[in-house]
Amino acid sequence: MFSNYLKNYRFWLLSLALIAMLMVFVRPTQNQPRPIYNYTFIIDITRSMNAADYQVDGQTVSRLVYVKHNLRGLLAKLPCQSKVGLGLFTERRSTLLFEPIEVCQGFNDIDAALAQVDWRMAWAADSRIASGLLNTLQMLEKLDSHVVFITDGQEAPPVNPRYRSDFAAVKGKVQGMVIGAGGLQAVPIPKFNHKGEPDGFYRPDDVPHRSTFGEADLNPEKIQGYNARNAPFGSEAAVGSEHLSALQEGYLQALSTEAGLHYHRMADVEALATALQIPEFAVQKTTAVDVRWQAALAALLLVACVYGGLRPFPSWSLGTGGNNYLQNRKILWKLTAC
């Protein structure tokens, strides 16, 4: 009876499929050159990042929640030996939570850190985007990592054009990207009480609508109630829409150009991965790549040949002589077609 099994092609195909499946558990690898990345993500945690203009699984979420969701999804798309660091921005400077660590070995730690990022971690209330970006580039100048600065670009209070940050000293020294988060349609900014509980939204009289720092950028003759010492910006209360928030894309694009960085608008995880995994940011390294899929695919094809629609035939006779030549040619043709 065993000799009948040896003559049956199905026995050999299933035996090969079994061997292929066993190879999957051996975890075979193959050395291949592949791109490796090194990123330090700096996340804006100022209050405008609580504005809700994104959706995840049909639920409206804040910009900060959406940024965290996309970064956690990005981790799984980065090749092993890539590194990820994490920092936060608020007021006019950034702080580094941890320097870049290997993404596969440190996956759980990085993912847990991202999950815990919260606006309550902010140490000041202002949002000086240009100053924060400049501070970030200075901080990472000696760190061999690409910066990814994620913000909605809303300066609070609005920046005085007379005192814009100068990126000349750091331009080109750090490569990376500014990621703009938020929609182009202005939405309310949530307000919270001293316990961190939701307390409505900011109103026009809750926020400054212009900068009152330094000298005014307007002609004193055009400023109502101007006084060089006591009222350089005039006596009239400024009005505006700073209590609402939208992605300041044009401003962020200008800052990116001044700092020598790329710019990308935050969309979904796939778009983010595509934007960040560009040749300019990659370092080619030879790494051990998991090739279990090859063994699994071979096993699948072999099983498909047995059960996936081959017309059954009596037996596969091995070495029975010239009388079976035509039959063996037909069998070979069928296996090749499979």
Side-chain angles (χ1 to χ4, degrees):
M1 179 178 292
F2 184 69
S3 62
N4 292 333
Y5 280 112
L6 293 178
K7 294 178 181 179
N8 193 324
Y9 81 99
R10 290 183 177 85
F11 170 80
W12 293 104
L13 292 182
L14 289 175
S15 298
L16 291 173
L18 177 61
I19 294 173
M21 286 303 299
L22 291 175
M23 289 295 296
V24 173
F25 295 98
V26 177
R27 300 180 67 88
T29 60
Q30 184 178 34
N31 288 332
Q32 297 178 1
R34 64 185 313 182
I36 302 301
Y37 303 91
N38 189 327
Y39 297 118
T40 299
F41 296 106
I42 305 296
I43 304 175
D44 183 348
I45 57 170
T46 58
R47 296 199 179 188
S48 61
M49 290 293 285
N50 289 325
D53 49 10
Y54 281 112
Q55 293 229 337
V56 173
D57 298 329
Q59 299 293 322
T60 301
V61 298
S62 71
R63 296 166 187 169
L64 183 57
V65 168
Y66 191 72
V67 167
K68 291 162 54 178
H69 169 79
N70 279 2
L71 291 184
R72 295 176 74 182
L74 176 67
L75 293 180
K77 297 182 178 298
L78 292 176
C80 289
Q81 293 195 27
S82 295
K83 294 183 178 181
V84 166
L86 182 63
L88 306 175
F89 158 75
T90 190
E91 200 237 355
R92 64 187 67 220
R93 63 186 180 89
S94 300
T95 188
L96 199 59
L97 298 182
F98 54 84
E99 293 186 359
I101 59 178
E102 204 278 328
V103 71
C104 288
Q105 293 183 356
F107 183 91
N108 291 334
D109 295 327
I110 301 171
D111 183 70
L114 282 169
Q116 294 301 316
V117 170
D118 190 86
W119 68 270
R120 296 172 182 84
M121 301 167 76
W123 52 88
D126 288 349
S127 179
R128 299 292 192 181
I129 304 298
S131 297
L133 178 58
L134 177 59
N135 171 259
T136 299
L137 296 178
Q138 292 170 337
M139 178 179 65
L140 299 180
E141 187 173 337
K142 296 182 180 180
L143 192 65
D144 184 22
S145 182
H146 292 93
V147 63
V148 181
F149 191 83
I150 307 173
T151 178
D152 56 19
Q154 181 159 354
E155 298 265 7
V159 66
N160 186 335
R162 283 182 179 270
Y163 304 96
R164 291 193 61 180
S165 299
D166 184 3
F167 293 91
V170 297
K171 185 174 182 179
K173 293 185 177 181
V174 180
Q175 291 186 318
M177 183 175 292
V178 173
I179 305 288
L184 299 178
Q185 182 70 36
V187 295
I189 303 173
K191 190 176 181 181
F192 299 87
N193 60 24
H194 67 282
K195 296 181 179 180
E197 300 167 339
D199 189 24
F201 297 94
Y202 282 97
R203 297 168 300 183
D205 55 350
D206 289 329
V207 300
H209 295 277
R210 70 180 176 197
S211 173
T212 56
F213 170 77
E215 297 181 10
D217 60 321
L218 300 175
N219 186 333
E221 296 178 358
K222 297 182 179 181
I223 302 177
Q224 184 71 29
Y226 172 80
N227 181 284
R229 177 183 176 184
N230 299 320
F233 291 86
S235 58
E236 277 191 350
V239 295
S241 59
E242 295 299 318
H243 60 294
L244 303 175
S245 180
L247 170 61
Q248 304 299 306
E249 187 158 61
Y251 180 54
L252 291 180
Q253 288 173 333
L255 289 181
S256 302
T257 301
E258 292 174 22
L261 304 174
H262 293 267
Y263 173 80
H264 174 75
R265 186 193 298 180
M266 178 70 76
D268 55 22
V269 179
E270 296 295 335
L272 179 62
T274 300
L276 288 177
Q277 296 185 70
I278 58 176
E280 186 176 338
F281 293 166
V283 175
Q284 293 292 330
K285 286 188 177 181
T286 300
T287 61
V289 179
D290 188 341
V291 292
R292 286 178 295 173
W293 66 271
Q294 296 177 357
L297 179 61
L300 178 63
L301 291 177
L302 290 167
V303 172
C305 285
V306 177
Y307 299 107
L310 273 184
R311 187 180 304 170
F313 38 87
S315 64
W316 189 354
S317 179
L318 300 177
T320 56
N323 293 334
N324 291 324
Y325 174 77
L326 183 60
Q327 180 182 5
N328 288 340
R329 285 291 299 272
K330 291 180 180 179
I331 293 173
L332 179 61
W333 181 85
K334 288 182 179 180
L335 290 177
T336 304
C338 177

